[in-house]
Amino acid sequence: MKRILVRSVHEAFEYVMAHYYPFGQAEFAEKTDTYAVISIQDSHTGGFGFCFQENQYCKGVLTLQFDDIVKKVDGAVLFTKEQAEAILDFADLHRNVDTLLIHCYAGQSRSRAVGAFLIKMFGKDNSRYFETGSPNMYVYQTMEKAWLQKLLIGKRTDK
């Protein structure tokens, strides 16, 4: 994976649409990189009303619904360990795409936390995610715990 992009839902839609071209006119596609999408949608609205689809450029889509909260709130969905594991597995499975596109509604908290953690997981510096925004630390820490547990289980099975 060459890069991880964290975007708002509107910016993610624009990115995906830059890969669009009329049938039989592929030369008119503005972008031709391969990508995979982690689409973080709000549970209280039932999502954003659309889902990204795999195609010649999009090699995978993981759509999750959880809200931008840091503790249980009635009527809202808190990020779970199972969702963190799904993200880790998805990112690992799609290592060969050019771009991993991660979005939530505003691209500032949930998706920023996921992006920051995945950058760290792939061994790169994620400090800019904290210097230029406010990642949801509950999401980040849940990702970190799931990753450490996955590493620990991997070490046990390697013996």
Side-chain angles (χ1 to χ4, degrees):
M1 170 177 334
K2 293 179 185 171
R3 65 183 175 161
I4 292 177
L5 291 179
V6 174
R7 298 289 185 258
S8 71
V9 65
H10 301 291
E11 293 166 333
F13 188 75
E14 288 174 3
Y15 177 85
V16 168
M17 288 307 296
H19 294 81
Y20 172 79
Y21 59 89
F23 179 76
Q25 299 177 354
E27 68 274 11
F28 290 110
E30 180 183 332
K31 293 185 181 290
T32 58
D33 61 312
T34 59
Y35 63 94
V37 181
I38 298 174
S39 180
I40 301 168
Q41 303 198 16
D42 299 333
S43 75
H44 62 279
T45 61
F48 297 139
F50 65 88
C51 293
F52 294 107
Q53 300 293 317
E54 291 183 23
N55 59 49
Q56 133 182 22
Y57 301 116
C58 181
K59 302 303 179 184
V61 178
L62 176 63
T63 302
L64 299 170
Q65 288 189 4
F66 61 92
D67 297 300
D68 193 9
I69 55 177
V70 297
K71 63 181 181 178
K72 288 184 180 183
V73 174
D74 287 341
V77 175
L78 186 63
F79 185 61
T80 66
K81 175 185 162 234
E82 292 77 21
Q83 289 171 321
E85 291 168 348
I87 291 170
L88 295 172
D89 292 343
F90 184 83
D92 193 44
L93 181 66
H94 292 90
R95 284 178 179 261
N96 294 330
V97 298
D98 296 318
T99 304
L100 180 59
L101 173 63
I102 307 165
H103 84 84
C104 60
Y105 183 74
Q108 295 300 315
S109 186
R110 293 169 289 175
S111 58
R112 184 174 286 270
V114 170
F117 185 77
L118 291 177
I119 289 282
K120 176 183 175 180
M121 184 179 92
F122 289 124
K124 297 181 181 172
D125 178 29
N126 67 1
S127 60
R128 72 182 175 98
Y129 286 86
F130 297 94
E131 294 164 357
T132 61
S134 302
N136 179 313
M137 290 310 294
Y138 179 81
V139 170
Y140 187 91
Q141 291 165 353
T142 302
M143 294 281 305
E144 189 171 46
K145 287 176 190 173
W147 183 56
L148 292 172
Q149 185 173 19
K150 188 174 182 168
L151 290 176
L152 182 61
I153 290 170
K155 286 182 181 180
R156 287 185 193 158
T157 60
D158 288 345
K159 292 182 179 180

